[in-house]
Amino acid sequence: MPKIKTHSGAKKRFKVTASGKVKSGYAGKRHGLRKRTQKMKRNARGMKVLFKTDGDNIIKHYLRNA
């Protein structure tokens, strides 16, 4: 039986914290930033913690070895 591999795209986009929560970057920062407000761009820096059920689904389906 082959080993279960972690999804390559997911490991670049998500991080699992020590307590088991899943962190991801904010959406909407790739292009078209002139039309975004300064407040939105400032608040979208860094990472955010996903909602619990969304994080559980990410771990279950994509980050199985995390």
Side-chain angles (χ1 to χ4, degrees):
M1 195 67 194
K3 290 184 178 180
I4 295 176
K5 295 191 175 181
T6 299
H7 191 278
S8 295
K11 67 183 172 186
K12 297 168 191 170
R13 289 171 172 82
F14 302 106
K15 300 286 181 221
V16 180
T17 64
S19 60
K21 297 177 183 176
V22 179
K23 292 170 64 175
S24 74
Y26 285 87
K29 296 187 300 182
R30 297 294 180 206
H31 58 86
L33 291 173
R34 282 193 307 182
K35 65 180 84 169
R36 311 270 192 267
T37 64
Q38 193 62 36
K39 181 179 179 181
M40 181 270 166
K41 291 188 276 190
R42 187 170 54 244
N43 289 338
R45 288 184 198 141
M47 309 270 286
K48 64 179 174 183
V49 176
L50 292 182
F51 193 71
K52 183 178 184 326
T53 51
D54 292 334
D56 291 345
N57 284 332
I58 294 291
I59 291 174
K60 179 180 175 185
H61 295 294
Y62 299 113
L63 301 174
R64 296 183 187 101
N65 298 329

